[in-house]
């Protein structure tokens, strides 16, 4: 019987299709996260009240910020779980090696995040629409101006933030799978401070990405960080046996 | 051509060796039985060949290459056992689509016919199948993928008798039509014997025997008769198995290398000579227990 000599990219392509068939819950998770976020958003992200003598002005900001934030969490957690043991076992039944697996995972993350981005943008509008349906137009509504370049930037920024959260999740997931003790350490030293401190140490990190005024630099920073995270992941999980 | 080559292979888990100094060469296009007791190292060896485990020592080559993390090996090998963990979100018919996508030699018609014959519900999820049905489905996957190296690790776990017989028959028929290297592991030789061409016995992580099935059937002879007579003629080193029949009578299985003189001597003393069934012999050789079960109940 003659041997087949598969090339890496054809296997990556097949593995991506396989993952697309087998990770349906990822998109159910996205729907649930965004529905919860939309419910929160309906009550307004922020509001301010002002009084001018006999006039009271109450301004409520309806935005998709909650949806964005929840989708970032979704991107992070699906990526933590993407390369988990069960999934590696399921990969291993068919044709795979660690390169093709990581590459297929990256392709999956990119496509899933594209879908995530589209739904973040549409959900942001949806929230505003629902707000009008429920509460009616009983006041003045000021819409932000939506221009095509502005929307494009909204798409790009959202997408690359999701990529950033995903790649960090992918790295953290792979580190956690190195052993029970390491998993405990990650939870203790990463999860602990996030919950029990004011997280002021994260400010420079957010500033590094968030204060970037050039879109090109922003994209480059995120791409470099993500590539670094995924590179580290392949290194960390290099000798991992599936058991 | 040698398709599998292991040289002084070791695999250590914490302090225990699962494989120890195992050396074996397997030729292409054979059906090989890997027989050993539970914990002998069968699964560790097979998973090493399938590239799922990294050995701690020695060298392993499959298709002339290191199997771990090897795409070529993965494309030409399928490893089937009862622990196969499929995606919980895929139904049987979707798994079949995936298998067809990945395996070049996949035969859809064969898979469909076997699925129909064994009554596997295509719309079930794999984890909804009963143990026997899951094993049957896994075996179908192994057969229909027609990989140049097909590994079945205890494939019949949970299958009932008639399904086991059908599976072995299907395996043999498909092998004859499409010869490839098939390794089937089991702790028992009984049902496998008729389809095997070669047998490999493994005990305590070592390969203790690798023979063609014909040679294996001639490997030993059984002697029953007077204990003292047999012990005086037969060298203790060649005894494979010993069982007391009564105070003075004994049954002994020995290496079939007795000299003409010994055979004549034994016959003259009334010792009966019988062939040893391959299944029994594999059990004697891989046995890890001390004495026989009867010894446990003997009053001291």
């Amino acid at each position: 019987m003659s041997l087949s000599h598969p090339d890496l990219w054809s296997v990556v392509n097949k593995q991506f299709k396989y993952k697309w068939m087998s990770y349906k819950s990822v998109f159910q998770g996205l729907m649930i996260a965004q529905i919860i976020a939309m419910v929160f958003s309906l009550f307004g992200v922020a509001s301010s009240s002002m009084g001018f003598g006999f006039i009271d002005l109450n301004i409520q900001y309806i935005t998709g910020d909650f949806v964005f934030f929840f989708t970032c969490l979704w991107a992070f957690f699906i990526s933590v779980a993407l390369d988990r043991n069960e999934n590696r076992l399921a990969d291993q039944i068919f044709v795979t090696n660690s390169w093709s697996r990581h590459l297929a995972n990256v392709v999956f993350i990119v496509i899933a995040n594209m879908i995530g981005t589209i739904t973040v943008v549409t959900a942001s509008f949806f929230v505003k629409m629902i707000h009008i349906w429920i509460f009616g137009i009983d006041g003045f509504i000021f819409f932000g101006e939506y221009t095509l370049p502005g929307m494009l930037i909204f798409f790009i920024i959202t997408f690359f933030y999701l990529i950033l959260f995903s790649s960090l999740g992918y790295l953290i997931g792979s580190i956690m799978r190195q052993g029970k003790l390491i998993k405990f350490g990650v939870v203790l030293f990463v999860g602990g401070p996030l919950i029990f401190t004011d997280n002021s140490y994260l400010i420079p990190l957010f500033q590094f990405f968030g204060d970037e005024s050039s879109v090109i630099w922003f994209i480059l920073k995120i791409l470099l960080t993500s590539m670094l995270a995924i590179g580290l992941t392949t290194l960390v999980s290099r000798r991992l046996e599936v058991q | 051509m040698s398709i599998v080559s292991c040289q002084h292979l070791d695999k250590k888990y914490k302090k225990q060796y699962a494989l120890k100094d195992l050396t074996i060469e397997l030729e292409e296009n054979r059906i090989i039985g890997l027989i050993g007791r539970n914990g002998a190292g069968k699964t560790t060896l097979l998973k090493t060949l399938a590239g799922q485990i990294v050995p701690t020592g020695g060298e392993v080559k499959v298709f002339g290459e290191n199997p771990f993390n090897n795409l070529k090996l993965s494309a030409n090998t399928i490893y089937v056992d009862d622990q196969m963990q499929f995606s919980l979100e895929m139904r049987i018919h979707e798994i079949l689509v995936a298998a067809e996508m990945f395996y070049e030699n996949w035969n859809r018609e064969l898979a469909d016919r076997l699925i129909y014959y064994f009554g596997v519900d295509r719309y079930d999820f794999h984890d909804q199948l009963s143990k026997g049905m899951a094993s049957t489905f896994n075996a179908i996957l192994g057969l229909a993928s027609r990989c140049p190296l097909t590994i079945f690790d205890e494939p019949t776990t949970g299958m009932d008798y008639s399904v086991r017989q059908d599976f072995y028959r299907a395996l043999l028929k498909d092998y004859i039509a499409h010869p490839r290297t098939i390794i089937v592991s089991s702790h028992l030789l009984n049902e496998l014997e008729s389809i095997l061409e070669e047998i490999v016995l493994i005990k305590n992580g070592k390969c203790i025997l690798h023979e063609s099935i014909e040679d294996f059937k001639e490997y030993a002879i059984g002697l029953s008769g007077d204990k003292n007579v047999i012990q005086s003629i037969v060298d203790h080193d060649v005894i494979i198995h010993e069982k007391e029949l009564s105070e003075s009578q004994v049954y002994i299985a020995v290496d079939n290398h007795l000299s003409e003189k010994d055979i004549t001597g034994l016959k003259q003393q009334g010792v009966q000579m019988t062939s040893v069934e391959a299944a029994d012999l594999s059990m004697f050789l891989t046995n890890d227990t001390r004495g026989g079960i009867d010894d446990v109940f003997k009053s001291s």
Side-chain angles (χ1 to χ4, degrees):
Chain A
M1 190 170 277
S2 65
L3 297 183
S4 58
H5 297 268
D7 74 286
L8 181 65
W9 287 103
S10 77
V11 174
V12 170
N13 181 29
K14 287 171 186 170
Q15 259 189 298
F16 166 71
K17 286 178 188 160
Y18 174 50
K19 283 168 194 286
W20 189 257
M21 284 195 278
S22 59
Y23 301 163
K24 298 177 187 98
S25 58
V26 163
F27 298 102
Q28 289 159 2
L30 176 67
M31 277 163 67
I32 293 167
Q34 293 194 339
I35 288 169
I36 295 171
M38 283 195 278
V39 171
F40 279 126
S41 302
L42 281 180
F43 301 105
V45 172
S47 67
S48 60
S49 294
M50 285 175 269
F52 302 99
F54 55 88
I55 302 172
D56 279 330
L57 183 62
N58 184 21
I59 302 172
Q60 211 174 13
Y61 299 92
I62 310 294
T63 73
D65 287 2
F66 265 125
V67 180
F68 172 70
F69 177 68
F70 271 66
T71 310
C72 286
L73 285 182
W74 164 83
F76 178 81
F77 284 110
I78 59 154
S79 307
V80 167
L82 198 56
D83 203 33
R84 65 175 187 269
N85 206 27
E86 291 84 350
N87 289 352
R88 286 205 312 278
L89 280 169
D91 282 355
Q92 190 177 261
I93 293 171
F94 301 115
V95 181
T96 185
N97 72 357
S98 74
W99 274 111
S100 73
R101 200 181 74 238
H102 286 307
L103 286 169
N105 282 343
V106 169
V107 175
F108 183 81
I109 285 173
V110 169
I111 304 281
N113 282 339
M114 276 181 185
I115 294 169
T117 305
I118 294 167
T119 53
V120 166
V121 177
T122 46
S124 310
F125 286 107
F126 195 56
V127 166
K128 290 165 194 168
M129 253 167 61
I130 295 179
H131 197 269
I132 296 170
W133 284 342
I134 297 176
F135 300 105
I137 308 177
D138 62 346
F140 293 98
I141 297 175
F142 295 94
F143 289 103
E145 201 183 336
Y146 299 111
T147 60
L148 193 65
M151 286 305 297
L152 205 64
I153 288 178
F154 184 17
F155 265 101
I156 290 172
I157 304 272
T158 306
F159 174 69
F160 279 97
Y161 264 121
L162 293 184
I163 290 287
L164 177 69
F165 277 90
S166 276
S167 50
L168 293 179
Y170 198 56
L171 173 63
I172 289 174
S174 74
I175 293 172
M176 279 166 61
R177 278 182 284 275
Q178 295 301 307
K180 284 195 177 117
L181 209 65
I182 296 173
K183 190 176 191 170
F184 181 72
V186 170
V187 173
L188 196 71
F189 294 112
V190 179
L194 280 176
I195 298 167
F196 297 110
T197 67
D198 62 354
N199 294 323
S200 55
Y201 58 93
L202 287 175
I203 291 172
L205 194 72
F206 285 123
Q207 279 172 343
F208 177 68
F209 297 107
D211 285 0
E212 182 54 61
S213 54
S214 154
V215 178
I216 304 289
W217 271 115
F218 169 79
I219 293 174
L220 278 176
K221 278 178 178 179
I222 287 195
L223 277 182
L224 275 176
T225 315
S226 304
M227 276 154 72
L228 193 71
I230 288 169
L232 275 173
T233 306
T234 54
L235 210 65
V236 163
S237 60
R238 205 170 22 131
R239 302 293 285 176
L240 206 63
E241 290 174 349
V242 182
Q243 277 165 24
Chain B
M1 195 189 91
S2 170
I3 202 167
V4 168
S5 163
C6 300
Q7 302 294 329
H8 309 291
L9 204 60
D10 287 336
K11 177 67 186 179
K12 202 175 177 184
Y13 288 113
K14 289 181 182 160
K15 283 180 183 165
Q16 197 152 11
Y17 279 97
L19 297 178
K20 194 156 171 45
D21 199 24
L22 182 136
T23 296
I24 193 173
E25 298 270 340
L26 301 179
E27 299 292 308
E28 165 172 68
N29 298 342
R30 307 274 162 89
I31 300 193
I32 302 144
L34 179 67
I35 312 293
R37 304 296 285 249
N38 293 331
K42 300 188 296 289
T43 298
T44 309
L45 174 62
L46 295 178
K47 283 195 166 176
T48 308
L49 300 185
Q52 299 178 7
I53 285 179
V54 193
T56 18
E59 191 188 56
V60 56
K61 289 259 195 288
V62 181
F63 305 120
E65 295 178 21
N66 176 7
F68 188 69
N69 220 354
N70 186 325
L71 210 55
K72 181 182 151 195
L73 174 112
S74 185
N76 293 293
T77 307
I78 187 161
Y79 175 88
V80 173
D81 67 357
D82 65 330
Q83 307 280 317
M84 286 173 107
Q85 191 162 356
F86 293 91
S87 161
L88 298 175
E89 298 174 41
M90 284 174 91
R91 294 176 191 276
I92 295 299
H93 68 95
E94 291 173 304
I95 295 173
L96 294 171
V97 169
E100 181 164 11
M101 186 170 70
F102 280 110
Y103 289 116
E104 230 170 58
N105 299 333
W106 177 262
N107 189 305
R108 188 200 292 185
E109 198 188 343
L110 176 68
D112 286 346
R113 284 181 177 199
L114 288 169
I115 293 267
Y116 176 77
Y117 175 75
F118 287 110
V120 182
D121 187 343
R122 305 173 71 95
Y123 290 91
D124 264 349
F125 289 100
H126 191 270
D127 64 328
Q128 286 175 334
L129 300 177
S130 69
K131 199 169 166 52
M133 202 52 106
S135 290
T136 307
F137 174 73
N138 299 353
I140 292 171
L141 204 70
L143 279 178
S145 64
R146 287 198 179 144
C147 284
L149 176 59
T150 302
I151 299 173
F152 288 107
D153 188 8
E154 308 236 359
T156 54
T157 312
M159 289 183 192
D160 60 37
Y161 179 76
S162 68
V163 177
R164 288 204 300 272
Q165 297 304 312
D166 283 343
F167 164 66
Y168 287 132
R169 194 164 170 74
L171 182 67
L172 189 62
K173 273 181 165 300
D174 201 54
Y175 166 74
I176 291 167
H178 301 272
R180 52 203 193 262
T181 310
I182 299 177
I183 308 177
V184 190
S185 87
S186 177
H187 52 277
L188 281 174
L189 182 61
N190 304 32
E191 291 170 5
L192 266 178
E193 196 187 319
S194 59
I195 64 161
L196 295 182
E197 289 172 291
E198 284 180 21
I199 179 169
V200 172
L201 293 186
I202 176 169
K203 182 178 178 181
N204 300 331
K206 278 186 184 192
C207 169
I208 56 167
L209 180 141
H210 180 191
E211 295 276 356
S212 74
I213 201 81
E214 290 81 23
D215 289 347
F216 186 67
K217 283 176 180 165
E218 306 283 313
Y219 187 83
I221 59 170
L223 310 173
S224 25
D226 189 85
K227 195 175 179 176
N228 296 327
V229 170
I230 294 177
Q231 280 176 352
S232 65
I233 296 177
V234 173
D235 186 359
H236 188 75
D237 292 346
V238 298
I239 296 179
I240 296 165
H241 175 74
E242 188 170 350
K243 188 183 172 193
E244 277 186 21
L245 300 172
S246 68
E247 281 287 301
S248 60
Q249 297 287 300
V250 74
Y251 170 80
I252 288 180
V254 293
D255 258 355
N256 197 1
H257 292 107
L258 294 176
S259 64
E260 282 294 324
K261 190 178 142 227
D262 287 346
I263 292 172
T264 322
L266 286 164
K267 277 183 179 163
Q268 278 170 357
Q269 300 280 344
V271 174
Q272 277 194 335
M273 292 188 186
T274 50
S275 61
V276 181
E277 291 286 319
D280 290 337
L281 178 60
S282 74
M283 211 159 62
F284 298 156
L285 286 167
T286 56
N287 211 343
D288 217 11
T289 48
R290 299 175 181 91
I293 189 70
D294 291 343
D295 296 337
V296 176
F297 296 95
K298 257 184 200 165
S299 50
S300 53

